[in-house]
Amino acid sequence: MTDPTDPTEHTGPTERYTVISADCHAGADLLDYKPYLPRRFHDDFDAWAADYVNPYEDLLADTADRNWNSGRRLAEMEADGIVAEVVFPNTIPPFFPSASLMAPVPTREELDRRWAGLRAHNRWLADFCARTPGRRAGVAQILLNDVEEAVREVRRTREAGLTGGVLLPGVPPGSGIPELYSEVYDPLWAVCAELDVPVNHHGGSASPPLGDEPAARAVFMVETTWFSHRALWHLIFGGAFRRHPSLRLVLTEQGSGWIPGVLEMLDYYHERLVSAAGRSAVTAESKFGAGLAEAMGQRPSAVWRGNCYVGASFMRPHEVPLRERIGRDKIMWGSDYPHDEGTQPYSREGLRIAFAGLPRQEIAAMVGGNAARVYGFDLGLLDPIAARVGPTVAEIAEPLTRVPDGATSPAFAPGGSVRVW
């Protein structure tokens, strides 16, 4: 019998799905960050804001206010069939030259200013989420340059009501920051495990700078998800999950079809190196594997099953048949609102092209139940809203035969609707 209190068995209202987007983005309008900064930074902020030129076209467009206009955002998402969201950052926090948390930091004074900017964003986000109680799980931002400060910010933002966890910055090669497998980050993993704070690693934040030539931009598109995937094997081989068994890692907007193959590869290397290390003969591989089993504990696929999840933004049809190997309890669909590559205002069609023909209980878990479990959403609060605005079971069961005019999401990319069962 289905347990209505268990998000993995939750089917939502009788005729509709409770859809929670596990990947959305928001941030304050630039000048609106000032009240969230300590007064001693106000003059610095005025000087920075006066000279700042925003490099992102979507933050200069007429639609930019979808990042901070709570009423507009709520209306558009409800019209799209979505009742709640996990909120990643989008706009530029104070004192940053770009959105990248790994932008070079030349001095301690500059680092202090950037920490102030991130804390301002986190304070703004807590207020933004509080405007719609129970419907937004805000993801806090930190820097890895100062682990003690990161730990303090995780505690502070959890107490402030941000339930989306923490955004783990990427560590691109050449950044000068210790690699994610380093035990220097153990205090961060410890506090996230202690407070049940999900560690989110979002696509696009871990790539090294490549330049602005046409080839460089194409290479970035090909490589960016791979660089984001690296967090998975860094934390696994580094033993973070062995030392902190309740630590949870969410990989968001990096696709999901890669996961089964990568887990097989990681298991292969783990078994190969551990086996070599256990032999009496000293070989090159035995040196590579020395201490690995003790450091990381379980094999990678077991760590995935116990500790990891995927924010499967605008999940594409070719990924859906892999859901058993990924884990049906691991997949969390996302609309990527308000980005151009997001499914809004065609999220219902995006759900249809991916999930039509699947059992209702599986769909309910992937579009909402799993996210409710990972991020602590109250389905008792959300189900009545979904009964009013959510997509109907019959609607999502109908295969999509025509891509909507104007749809720009990769969910609708050519060839994406081909599926073999």
Side-chain angles (χ1 to χ4, degrees):
M1 179 178 293
T2 298
D3 179 1
T5 66
D6 183 351
T8 63
E9 296 187 358
H10 174 263
T11 55
T14 304
E15 299 299 333
R16 294 180 185 267
Y17 289 112
T18 300
V19 181
I20 300 170
S21 173
D23 180 27
C24 290
H25 298 264
D29 198 3
L30 187 68
L31 298 181
D32 290 342
Y33 278 125
K34 183 175 179 178
Y36 292 93
L37 286 165
R39 198 171 286 275
R40 68 181 184 275
F41 288 102
H42 283 191
D43 289 344
D44 284 351
F45 176 82
D46 290 342
W48 173 79
D51 293 335
Y52 186 75
V53 177
N54 199 313
Y56 299 102
E57 293 181 4
D58 63 312
L59 297 179
L60 300 172
D62 293 340
T63 55
D65 75 323
R66 292 186 295 177
N67 285 282
W68 56 80
N69 184 329
S70 182
R72 174 179 182 174
R73 185 184 187 95
L74 196 63
E76 291 188 354
M77 295 190 75
E78 286 193 357
D80 218 23
I82 298 169
V83 299
E85 57 174 328
V86 179
V87 187
F88 288 87
N90 198 42
T91 58
I92 311 299
F95 308 119
F96 278 73
S98 71
S100 174
L101 298 184
M102 285 295 103
V105 183
T107 65
R108 180 70 213 192
E109 183 181 17
E110 177 64 15
L111 179 61
D112 290 342
R113 278 198 294 264
R114 292 192 191 177
W115 264 114
L118 289 190
R119 286 191 290 266
H121 171 82
N122 293 340
R123 294 185 186 106
W124 174 88
L125 183 59
D127 282 353
F128 187 70
C129 292
R131 294 179 193 175
T132 56
R135 300 183 68 178
R136 291 174 181 153
V139 178
Q141 295 192 80
I142 59 169
L143 288 169
L144 296 178
N145 308 66
D146 186 332
V147 175
E148 290 183 5
E149 186 63 34
V151 169
R152 284 192 289 270
E153 189 63 5
V154 169
R155 291 192 180 279
R156 192 196 67 77
T157 54
R158 190 71 178 88
E159 292 173 2
L162 292 183
T163 58
V166 62
L167 177 61
L168 178 64
V171 180
S175 67
I177 304 295
E179 295 284 2
L180 289 175
Y181 56 69
S182 173
E183 290 192 27
V184 71
Y185 299 120
D186 243 31
L188 178 59
W189 313 144
V191 72
C192 290
E194 173 197 341
L195 300 179
D196 198 25
V197 169
V199 174
N200 303 277
H201 192 57
H202 195 280
S205 67
S207 301
L210 294 172
D212 198 39
E213 299 176 27
R217 294 193 293 269
V219 168
F220 173 84
M221 289 298 295
V222 171
E223 294 182 346
T224 185
T225 54
W226 183 87
F227 278 106
S228 297
H229 301 343
R230 294 173 75 229
L232 176 64
W233 51 83
H234 277 233
L235 267 67
I236 288 178
F237 285 125
F241 300 105
R242 181 190 64 79
R243 295 188 298 276
H244 311 285
S246 61
L247 181 67
R248 294 180 295 161
L249 175 67
V250 183
L251 302 170
T252 298
E253 202 176 334
Q254 305 176 27
S256 60
W258 60 275
I259 293 169
V262 164
L263 292 178
E264 290 177 359
M265 177 193 70
L266 297 179
D267 278 352
Y268 165 74
Y269 279 111
H270 172 254
E271 293 168 12
R272 174 177 160 184
L273 293 174
V274 168
S275 175
R279 299 190 193 107
S280 57
V282 177
T283 65
E285 289 210 348
S286 69
K287 295 177 182 177
F288 275 106
L292 184 62
E294 295 81 4
M296 66 171 288
Q298 302 180 81
R299 63 194 308 211
S301 59
V303 174
W304 173 268
R305 288 193 297 272
N307 301 85
C308 304
Y309 303 85
V310 57
S313 308
F314 39 79
M315 196 169 186
R316 297 181 64 189
H318 71 273
E319 298 172 300
V320 177
L322 299 171
R323 66 193 184 282
E324 295 285 354
R325 296 170 62 194
I326 297 168
R328 288 177 297 173
D329 60 335
K330 302 293 182 182
I331 296 169
M332 301 179 291
W333 179 88
S335 69
D336 198 30
Y337 179 95
H339 289 165
D340 290 342
E341 64 268 29
T343 51
Q344 195 271 338
Y346 305 112
S347 290
R348 287 178 169 83
E349 290 82 356
L351 294 170
R352 287 172 59 193
I353 200 171
F355 299 128
L358 270 61
R360 178 182 172 185
Q361 188 168 313
E362 290 188 25
I363 298 173
M366 291 187 286
V367 305
N370 294 336
R373 175 166 46 91
V374 172
Y375 294 106
F377 288 102
D378 181 358
L379 292 170
L381 169 71
L382 298 179
D383 282 350
I385 303 170
R388 174 172 54 86
V389 305
T392 67
V393 172
E395 180 183 8
I396 302 306
E398 185 69 25
L400 188 70
T401 58
R402 180 178 176 275
V403 173
D405 295 336
T408 56
S409 172
F412 305 109
S417 60
V418 177
R419 181 168 66 197
V420 179
W421 294 101

